[in-house]
Amino acid sequence: QYEMAAAFVRAGFSAVDVHMSDLASGNDSLANYQGIVACGGFSFGDVLGAGGGWAKSILFQDRLRDEFAAFFERNDTISLGVCNGCQMLSHLRDMIPGAEHWPRFLRNISEQFEARLNLVEIQKSPSVFLSGMEGSRLPIATSHGEGKATFSSDESLASANIVLRYMDNYGAIADRYPSNPNGSVDGICGLTTDDGRATIMMPHPERVVRTTQNSWHPEEWGDDSPWLRIFRNARVAVS
C-alpha cells in the first residue's frame, strides 16, 4: 500500500491508509472519500482465494456491505483494484454497476507464485484510469499466485470490458507461459466497468511508476514512467 500511496501522492492526491477495521468500527467511512484503491499485499497469505476472503469480510457484514454498495452507486467516485484487490473487487461485482461480466481469478496454471516483469498491451476501453493510453505496450510487474481470469460463460467473456492483455515479445496476445504468467484466456489481466469508473488488474502499475523501477527504459522517459499516467488520469477524473 505504500507504493500505491506514493503513486497517488505523486499525481496530486492525498492518500489515506484505511483499514477494514476502521470501516467496521465506524471510525471512518467511505462517504469521506472520492476514490478507493484495494491494494495487493498477500491478504490471507495469498492462498485459498485470498481476495475472496477479503470480499467475504464485506459481504457477510451488513454495515460494510451497505457502505461499499453506497460508494459504488455514487457517480462521483472511482475504484481501483490491483492484485489481491483485483481479486477482492471481482467478488463484489454484483454490487458494482457495470461489472457483472467480470471473471473470477483462480490459481495460476503453473501452480506456483509468479513474480516477474511482463509485457502488456492497453486495450481500448472506457476506463478513466487508462484514458489516452490505448495501444501502449509496456512492461509491468507481475506478482501473484492466483491470477487466472476465468469467466462464467462465453457470453461474459465476449461482453467484458477488457483493459489489459499480456503480450509476447512478438506483439501477439500471450497464450503461453511465461509471457502469460497465469494461464488467463486471451492474456486478459485487467477489466473495467461500463462507465469506466471501477477498474481491476492483476499486475502492479504502482511498482513501475518511476523509471528507476524498470529494468530498462528509453533515456527520454525522464524520472516518470508511462504508468504514472494511470494516477494522473485518476486525478483528472475526480477534479
Side-chain angles (χ1 to χ4, degrees):
Q1 72 269 26
Y2 297 119
E3 293 165 311
M4 187 70 77
F8 273 95
V9 169
R10 199 172 182 84
F13 283 91
S14 295
V16 181
D17 191 0
V18 179
H19 290 237
M20 294 300 297
S21 57
D22 296 326
L23 300 177
S25 66
N27 288 333
D28 205 347
S29 170
L30 295 182
N32 297 327
Y33 303 99
Q34 271 190 280
I36 58 172
V37 186
C39 304
F42 313 112
S43 171
F44 293 87
D46 200 40
V47 295
L48 302 176
W54 188 358
K56 288 181 176 62
S57 71
I58 297 168
L59 295 171
F60 293 168
Q61 297 185 66
D62 291 344
R63 181 191 188 109
L64 291 178
R65 185 175 64 250
D66 292 345
E67 184 150 349
F68 273 84
F71 181 89
F72 295 132
E73 288 290 341
R74 287 167 50 192
N75 60 14
D76 65 337
T77 64
I78 57 173
S79 309
L80 176 65
V82 172
C83 198
N84 292 127
C86 170
Q87 298 164 351
M88 185 272 273
L89 288 182
S90 75
H91 283 272
L92 302 184
R93 65 182 183 270
D94 289 342
M95 68 169 66
I96 303 175
E100 61 270 14
H101 298 298
W102 283 0
R104 301 285 193 195
F105 293 88
L106 305 181
R107 188 71 176 163
N108 297 343
I109 59 171
S110 65
E111 291 292 328
Q112 63 184 8
F113 182 84
E114 298 291 341
R116 65 183 73 247
L117 280 177
N118 283 99
L119 185 67
V120 295
E121 183 178 72
I122 299 171
Q123 308 293 298
K124 183 179 180 180
S125 79
S127 174
V128 299
F129 293 93
L130 295 159
S131 177
M133 299 178 70
E134 174 190 348
S136 299
R137 292 176 179 171
L138 300 168
I140 194 169
T142 289
S143 183
H144 59 251
E146 298 180 339
K148 181 183 177 183
T150 305
F151 293 83
S152 60
S153 66
D154 291 340
E155 290 74 20
S156 285
L157 172 58
S159 301
N161 289 304
I162 297 161
V163 299
L164 291 180
R165 295 182 192 269
Y166 288 117
M167 308 296 288
D168 64 22
N169 58 313
Y170 296 103
I173 294 173
D175 57 3
R176 295 183 180 181
Y177 179 87
S179 298
N180 182 328
N182 51 46
S184 291
V185 59
D186 294 336
I188 295 169
C189 55
L191 303 101
T192 194
T193 50
D194 293 340
D195 63 5
R197 291 191 299 108
T199 296
I200 57 173
M201 59 184 70
M202 283 307 301
H204 291 265
E206 78 282 4
R207 294 188 181 180
V208 284
V209 294
R210 300 188 63 195
T211 51
T212 55
Q213 296 170 300
N214 288 259
S215 59
W216 177 87
H217 63 86
E219 289 295 329
E220 63 268 22
W221 276 12
D223 192 38
D224 296 333
S225 89
W227 286 114
L228 188 61
R229 182 163 179 175
I230 284 183
F231 305 96
R232 289 175 172 158
N233 279 341
R235 187 69 180 87
V236 171
V238 298
S239 295

